[in-house]
Amino acid sequence: MQAEFGIPGVIEVVPGVNDMPTLVLTHASGASATLYLHGAHVTSWIAAGKEQLFVSESSAFSPDEPIRGGIPIIFPQFGDGPLPKHGFARTEEWHPMHAEVSPDGVVTATLYLHETQQSLDVWPYDFLLELKVSLEETRLTLDLVVCNSGSRPFGFDAAFHTYFRIADINRTAVQGLQHVTYIDSLRDSTLETESRPAIRFAEEVDRIYVNAPDALRIDDEENERVITVAKNNMPDAVVWNPWIAKSRRLPDFGDEDYRQMVCVETGNIASEFTLDPQATWHGRTVLSAE
Ligand code: TA6
């Protein structure tokens, strides 16, 4: 794989935890990103000398488990339903498709996934997914393309379930969602409207913001740091922190991990998108470390 996709010092094929293969992208500025073929899962994004993503030290790194943290790829189902929770894309082995450095130094790697017997057994549709990860000095751009390569329309959800690393959840705010309608996953999916300009945390929060603004912001006040989240063609956003009780129930998440993470997720979540045969859907999210 190194011979075909590696670029010395820029894109390296490196054994990750439990020797699971990864691509490590390194930008000329020193920024870097680590991408497991398992789930096409970004587990590290270092910008401005800081790790921007959270991965639990209790996470499993095994072929049939999702990695807890980083940027899980959610497809074709968000949340609970007839498929395994959050769909199968995050536990399938993706394949390298392309890797390059652009003339202006942007480092990109693209992985793909198509239907397998395992996926067909639970979801009888032919598809092609492509995830492109683009690394610049302070930005990480995620492009997800879904292609219906079959002969029948299918409905799907797709999302980046991003776990951001923060210093202290008690000094963290998510901005940009005031006045947005949300589905409260903790209160029987009741519809509410966000009243606060800044969402802060003092209990478990698990909300799907419907047709949310494309520009969101995470204030990591303890670190005097801001991460911006810009989405395109991904109408919805989720804000999640498990807080104390749920943290204790999650086997692959430390009891105190909730203090150092917040999920701000972007995607096509609240309602399925229907894709006709041979049609494609393209969602983009740009993460910027200010
Ligand atoms: O995105 C929020 C959520 O749906 C929460 O309900 C919580 O379950 C979280 O995803 C993690 O889900 P997972 O299947 O990765 O444990």
Side-chain angles (χ1 to χ4, degrees), residues 153-164:
F154 61 65
F156 71 95
D157 305 330
F160 299 123
H161 192 302
T162 309
Y163 289 66
F164 293 95

Side-chain angles (χ1 to χ4, degrees), residues 11 38 42 61 89 124 162 165 224 245:
I11 298 178
H38 177 65
V42 178
F61 284 82
T162 309
R165 174 174 291 280
E224 297 179 349

